[in-house]
Amino acid sequence: MDEIITNIEARVATWTFFPIENGEPIQILRYEHAQKYEPHFDFFRDKHNIQFGGNRVATVVMYLSHVRKGGETIFPITNSSLSQTKDDSWSECAKMGYAVKPIKGDALLFFNIRPNATADTSSLHGSCPVIDGEKWSATKWIRARNFDIPHKKLRQIPESKMLQLGVDESYTLKVSKPKRKSILGEAIIEANTVYGALRGLEWHLDGKLRKVLVIDTFNLGKRKLNYCCLLMMHQTFSQLCSFDYTTKTVQIHKAPWSIKDKPRFSYRGLMIDTSRHYLPIDVIKQIIESMSYAKFILFFLHNFRCEREFINAQWNKLKYIIYQILAKIIFASNFPSADNAGINVMAEVDVPGHGESWGVGYPEIWPSPSCREPLDVSKTFTFDIISGILSDMRKIFPFELFHLGGDEVNTTCWRETPHVKEWLHNNNMTAKDAYQYFVLKAQDIAISKNWTPVNWEETFNTFPAKLHPQTIVHNWLGGGVCAKAVAKGFRCIFSNQAFWYLDHLDVPWDMVYTAEPLDGIDTDSEKELVIGGEVCMWGETADASDVQQTIWPRAAAAAGKHVLLMRKSITLTILPRFKHFRCLLNRRGVPAAPVTNFYARRAPDEPGSCYDQ
């Protein structure tokens, strides 16, 4: 390539923060007297034109000649035209909008696509007629990715590498020193799967990094991904950066860096209780997105319940409504699904003890109108309903685990309802036996739909020898349960309510962090059976007005324990990082409460920096 062109390409890359390979070839244009270009958009709306390099994100126009009059570049619909005054040196065409005069040596940069990937219609532009002189210009269009690589050549991720429990999330991050006389550096992420890279990739708009090199060994070899067009940064990398308001640049703290990272546990969950207060879809989307900042991997949608207004006596109508509501909750998002954020979604149907609302549409699954839960164990129809619901939910939730609840089952209703009492007698069962029968039958239904059942710990505490061997025990009542469960060969999830129930507002961040899922477990083989933990946001006292302040930042303390085991003083090592992370959440629009409040989600006590609250 000619040295002059090479230098121009390099300067355009520096100016736009897009790598050279994202640019189309420079186009030279000549306008003679009266020639013009009608207003148009540079972005595309069809698939054909974006197969190479994606859409045109930015446009650079370089003026190669001076035009005595006319030939201005005009933006007819931008609001900026209101603040631009023009004298007689401008053409009449230029007075119809915001305009830029063609002056030799000047260049114009404008963006066609907003940071949220939507088209910016204010980028509508044209060239006014040349009145006196001749106009020469050079145009450089910048694509969203490498212009030489057709999008259709990117192969699908193998099923073995899809986001499932235990997928390899390890990565290596290397950050080089910025080159001399340049603020541009380079980061390299090496990962065996795309989710290893996603543990560090997030939607983040700050930064001046020129490119990110992702090495994904599963199918694409080495492939350069443009950082700016993807608007992503590594979670770890982003915490090494700070914005310098003097130089208006992002500074990389103490570069160079070389970091190897992988999580301690494959299951790192946050539970949201949507059954007690309504949470708007946008709030749920915000929570899912913010989870990725703390490297959570599992969003647990607790106990989907059909409320009275959603039920009617037609089973097909019930199925349709359930499907639509859940589909909206999970998939109505700016990204195609939570999977794109590296987040799995696990749902729950909590039976038999918390299923009263199902009987609004089908009263026959209640033991009696005055005694509504646990659900009627004596009727085949009860299990037909459960099977139908799970069949429809399987279409929505591809994750391999499904929560069946099984907690807080008071069997008094079964013992006192005549027809259930008769069924117990005929089958030689006690109420405790019937509880076991119901849970195991629900497990069989879930397993038949290719799900691994998860149950709250009461099922293990009551009949451990009878549970299906695939069962994952979900601890919540207190300590020591995971140690007992793994000793019997079961996998376990830690959610001890004394530490990891976020609705307990008097539990400070340090108690959340110091809770250890592996307490009381000595052998490596048993430690492997603790797949991780989950913080639980119960909804009795939280709704859209305060749920995020209740979740954050304390949930991040648990997330940190999922990723890193820190044996040093947490006040000296963890607390400063925790305060920094809370400020980082605030900057990204997440309403995280102050770190050291005695009660979670309480407002700051006095003025001060977010680092000191």
Side-chain angles (χ1 to χ4, degrees):
M1 184 183 294
D2 181 87
E3 183 179 357
I4 295 177
I5 299 299
T6 300
N7 291 336
I8 292 174
E9 297 274 16
R11 293 189 66 180
V12 168
T14 301
W15 190 20
T16 63
F17 302 113
F18 282 85
I20 292 172
E21 56 265 30
N22 283 41
E24 295 183 32
I26 295 174
Q27 184 180 89
I28 306 296
L29 296 174
R30 178 193 179 197
Y31 296 83
E32 295 181 320
H33 177 73
Q35 288 187 331
K36 62 179 182 177
Y37 208 116
E38 295 293 344
H40 62 283
F41 297 112
D42 281 350
F43 59 78
F44 298 113
R45 299 183 185 274
D46 62 289
K47 293 182 179 180
H48 174 74
N49 278 303
I50 64 173
Q51 62 176 321
F52 280 87
N55 221 323
R56 286 174 170 170
V57 178
T59 300
V60 175
V61 179
M62 296 163 276
Y63 300 109
L64 308 180
S65 65
H66 179 72
V67 181
R68 288 184 289 275
K69 190 167 185 178
E72 300 95 342
T73 302
I74 182 173
F75 296 86
I77 63 173
T78 179
N79 292 329
S80 301
S81 60
L82 301 176
S83 61
Q84 189 181 36
T85 59
K86 300 184 180 76
D87 56 24
D88 290 340
S89 65
W90 297 83
S91 69
E92 291 302 315
C93 165
K95 295 176 182 179
M96 302 302 293
Y98 187 86
V100 178
K101 285 185 176 181
I103 299 174
K104 184 178 180 179
D106 283 358
L108 168 67
L109 166 65
F110 59 90
F111 290 87
N112 310 299
I113 304 293
R114 296 188 181 93
N116 64 1
T118 60
D120 187 348
T121 54
S122 66
S123 68
L124 181 74
H125 64 285
S127 179
C128 290
V130 174
I131 297 173
D132 186 3
E134 186 177 56
K135 176 181 175 181
W136 287 83
S137 66
T139 303
K140 180 78 174 177
W141 290 290
I142 313 299
R143 298 281 186 144
R145 58 178 182 271
N146 191 326
F147 184 62
D148 295 326
I149 301 178
H151 183 62
K152 63 184 179 182
K153 289 186 178 180
L154 302 182
R155 292 179 291 178
Q156 186 176 7
I157 300 171
E159 187 174 347
S160 61
K161 304 294 184 180
M162 294 300 286
L163 182 58
Q164 290 292 345
L165 197 64
V167 69
D168 185 352
E169 299 175 81
S170 64
Y171 63 87
T172 299
L173 169 65
K174 298 177 182 178
V175 183
S176 66
K177 252 186 175 179
K179 297 177 181 179
R180 193 175 182 182
K181 298 182 180 179
S182 173
I183 61 171
L184 300 178
E186 183 172 274
I188 296 176
I189 303 169
E190 297 180 359
N192 292 324
T193 69
V194 68
Y195 297 105
L198 274 176
R199 278 315 122 224
L201 290 175
E202 64 186 11
W203 296 104
H204 186 48
L205 302 181
D206 295 338
K208 297 292 186 289
L209 187 68
R210 179 175 177 182
K211 61 187 176 184
V212 175
L213 178 64
V214 176
I215 300 177
D216 51 5
T217 58
F218 60 88
N219 65 348
L220 294 179
K222 292 187 178 181
R223 172 171 160 243
K224 292 180 180 178
L225 298 180
N226 174 18
Y227 156 75
C228 295
C229 72
L230 291 179
L231 304 174
M232 287 183 170
M233 277 180 91
H234 201 285
Q235 290 169 342
T236 304
F237 178 73
S238 68
Q239 295 182 41
L240 304 177
C241 299
S242 60
F243 188 75
D244 187 318
Y245 287 91
T246 303
T247 62
K248 302 295 189 294
T249 61
V250 171
Q251 304 295 321
I252 303 174
H253 182 64
K254 294 183 178 180
W257 288 90
S258 180
I259 299 171
K260 289 186 177 181
D261 188 24
K262 67 177 181 179
R264 291 179 71 203
F265 299 105
S266 60
Y267 185 108
R268 307 181 301 281
L270 168 64
M271 186 218 77
I272 299 296
D273 175 11
T274 60
S275 62
R276 292 177 170 94
H277 282 103
Y278 170 70
L279 292 179
I281 290 172
D282 282 346
V283 171
I284 294 175
K285 286 160 50 179
Q286 291 164 12
I287 292 170
I288 290 176
E289 183 172 352
S290 64
M291 288 171 64
S292 67
Y293 302 155
K295 300 185 182 179
F296 280 105
I297 193 174
L298 195 286
F299 177 71
F300 176 21
L301 184 64
H302 166 70
N303 197 17
F304 176 78
R305 299 182 181 184
C306 288
E307 302 299 339
R308 181 181 303 270
E309 61 267 29
F310 294 143
I311 298 295
N312 97 6
Q314 299 297 318
W315 170 235
N316 286 334
K317 179 67 173 177
L318 176 62
K319 289 198 298 183
Y320 171 77
I321 291 173
I322 291 170
Y323 187 95
Q324 292 299 314
I325 293 170
L326 289 175
K328 287 179 180 179
I329 289 174
I330 302 306
F331 296 115
S333 174
N334 287 334
F335 41 79
S337 72
D339 182 74
N340 285 9
I343 305 293
N344 280 307
V345 180
M346 178 175 70
E348 177 188 31
V349 170
D350 194 347
V351 291
H354 289 294
E356 176 183 346
S357 59
W358 295 100
V360 176
Y362 288 92
E364 53 266 55
I365 66 175
W366 289 332
S368 72
S370 60
C371 197
R372 299 181 175 184
E373 60 179 26
L375 297 178
D376 195 331
V377 67
S378 70
K379 294 178 180 176
T380 302
F381 183 65
T382 301
F383 298 100
D384 290 340
I385 292 288
I386 294 172
S387 180
I389 295 296
L390 264 60
S391 291
D392 283 320
M393 295 181 78
R394 196 65 175 105
K395 302 171 186 175
I396 304 170
F397 299 102
F399 186 51
E400 63 199 89
L401 308 185
F402 190 86
H403 212 299
L404 292 169
D407 61 314
E408 299 178 324
V409 177
N410 183 342
T411 58
T412 301
C413 196
W414 287 347
R415 296 195 301 270
E416 295 180 352
T417 302
H419 77 272
V420 180
K421 184 177 180 181
E422 180 182 1
W423 181 86
L424 293 173
H425 175 76
N426 292 340
N427 287 276
N428 196 28
M429 287 187 187
T430 63
K432 180 180 176 181
D433 295 332
Y435 171 39
Q436 172 186 307
Y437 170 83
F438 199 116
V439 169
L440 297 185
K441 199 167 181 65
Q443 284 194 339
D444 287 340
I445 293 171
I447 292 169
S448 72
K449 302 180 190 309
N450 201 29
W451 263 321
T452 297
V454 183
N455 285 95
W456 295 107
E457 70 173 71
E458 288 95 325
T459 59
F460 171 78
N461 296 338
T462 307
F463 42 90
K466 299 296 184 179
L467 286 174
H468 194 282
Q470 293 184 28
T471 303
I472 298 176
V473 178
H474 195 166
N475 154 245
W476 73 279
L477 286 171
V481 174
C482 278
K484 295 175 183 177
V486 299
K488 293 185 178 294
F490 292 105
R491 289 180 288 171
C492 189
I493 298 169
F494 176 87
S495 291
N496 189 333
Q497 64 175 335
F499 308 105
W500 283 11
Y501 269 29
L502 299 175
D503 60 311
H504 294 189
L505 303 181
D506 57 347
V507 178
W509 77 271
D510 54 331
M511 288 182 64
V512 177
Y513 182 81
T514 54
E516 176 50 56
L518 299 182
D519 271 349
I521 304 173
D522 298 322
T523 67
D524 290 341
S525 60
E526 291 182 351
K527 289 179 180 179
E528 290 289 329
L529 294 175
V530 179
I531 62 175
E534 182 175 278
V535 287
C536 300
M537 182 61 256
W538 296 101
E540 287 89 345
T541 62
D543 62 11
S545 68
D546 58 6
V547 65
Q548 295 191 76
Q549 295 93 318
T550 313
I551 293 170
W552 303 111
R554 288 185 303 157
K561 201 57 174 284
H562 284 139
V563 175
L564 175 69
L565 179 60
M566 180 67 72
R567 294 185 173 89
K568 298 178 182 178
S569 168
I570 63 171
T571 303
L572 295 176
T573 58
I574 300 300
L575 182 56
R577 292 170 57 189
F578 195 44
K579 289 181 175 180
H580 175 83
F581 186 73
R582 182 255 174 166
C583 292
L584 190 67
L585 290 175
N586 286 168
R587 288 201 298 270
R588 295 174 183 177
V590 180
V595 169
T596 55
N597 276 356
F598 182 76
Y599 286 106
R601 78 184 180 207
R602 193 177 66 183
D605 294 326
E606 57 187 19
S609 164
C610 67
Y611 296 102
D612 299 327
Q613 302 294 341

